């Protein structure tokens, strides 16, 4: 894994101009809904819900409209986190709306970069595990075809990485 990629240019995070993050995986039913739910939970726990907008999307439209996978939901709930997303496909206009676009694996990142129109948009695309202090190969493994332990592993990676990302963003919050 290459050294930690820097965040896109940071800016003050205010209630008037909340920081917008979208988590992206392939189906938007396992990994990215976990990212969305965990990050929203951290933000709520810290009382900063008016300072952030958190979403998730898939590079595919295969599961459009579906709730998060039942194993993803039950693992998250066992850790006190609710996954409330409905699957949608990532759209080109999301590059404008969001400050930070978090890819779960290298394939997601490659597909996002291929869709990005400008260098500014490309700069917004980051791997989630850039924020993990034990990044391994930099990817969140796809748990879809495996058992519950794979979903638990995804939750742990996502939670660790989201906590680190949140710590990086916190100093930018200006009440
Ligand atoms: P996700 O997992 O990208 O983490 O939501 C997957 C969900 C569905 C499929 C693959 C991965 N699928 O092949 O349908």
């Amino acid at each position: 894994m290459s050294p930690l990629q820097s965040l896109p240019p940071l800016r003050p995070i205010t209630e008037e101009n909340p920081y917008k993050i979208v988590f992206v995986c392939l189906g938007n039913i396992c990994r990215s809904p976990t990212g969305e739910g965990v990050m929203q939970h951290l933000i709520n726990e810290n009382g900063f819900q008016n300072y952030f907008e958190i979403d998730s999307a898939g590079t595919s439209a295969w599961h459009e409209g579906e709730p998060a996978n039942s194993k993803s939901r039950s693992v998250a709930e066992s850790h006190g986190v609710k996954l409330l997303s409905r699957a949608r496909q990532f759209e080109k206009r999301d590059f404008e709306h969001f400050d930070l676009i978090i890819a779960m694996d290298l394939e997601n990142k490659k597909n996002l970069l291929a869709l990005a129109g400008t260098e500014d948009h490309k700069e917004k695309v980051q791997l989630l595990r850039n924020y993990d202090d034990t990044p391994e190969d930099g990817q969140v493994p796809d748990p879809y075809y495996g058992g519950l332990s794979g979903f638990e592993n995804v939750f742990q990676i996502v939670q660790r990485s989201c906590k680190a990302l949140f710590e990086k963003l916190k100093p930018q919050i200006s009440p």
Side-chain angles (χ1 to χ4, degrees), residues 25-167:
C25 61
L26 175 60
N28 191 210
I29 53 170
C30 302
R31 292 166 293 174
S32 60
T34 303
E36 177 186 345
V38 164
M39 197 69 184
Q40 190 66 62
H41 184 79
L42 275 170
I43 288 163
N44 295 353
E45 257 185 341
N46 284 272
F48 291 127
Q49 46 275 45
N50 295 339
Y51 294 82
F52 290 90
E53 184 185 312
I54 307 299
D55 196 5
S56 66
T59 55
S60 80
W62 300 339
H63 296 274
E64 197 88 54
E66 290 180 25
N69 177 283
S70 59
K71 288 186 193 135
S72 297
R73 278 187 283 135
S74 73
V75 165
E77 272 186 35
S78 77
H79 295 283
V81 175
K82 279 208 177 339
L83 306 187
L84 303 171
S85 63
R86 288 277 167 180
R88 71 171 182 94
Q89 186 169 26
F90 186 89
E91 298 175 85
K92 216 168 168 174
R93 66 174 175 202
D94 290 319
F95 283 112
E96 276 304 320
H97 184 72
F98 290 96
D99 293 286
L100 190 56
I101 298 163
I102 300 280
M104 291 290 162
D105 66 26
L106 288 167
E107 184 74 14
N108 310 146
K109 187 178 176 189
K110 188 182 82 183
N111 289 332
L112 286 166
L113 290 177
L115 198 63
T118 66
E119 283 310 307
D120 274 6
H121 292 172
K122 285 184 185 161
E123 206 182 21
K124 294 181 179 185
V125 180
Q126 307 250 316
L127 282 173
L128 179 69
R129 292 196 81 177
N130 275 327
Y131 305 99
D132 186 350
D133 55 13
T134 52
E136 297 173 7
D137 70 349
Q139 311 192 76
V140 183
D142 179 353
Y144 187 61
Y145 292 105
L148 208 56
S149 66
F151 287 81
E152 177 64 32
N153 183 43
V154 165
F155 186 89
Q156 294 300 332
I157 293 168
V158 167
Q159 189 180 50
R160 199 163 66 227
S161 306
C162 283
K163 279 184 177 167
L165 171 59
F166 186 58
E167 288 308 314

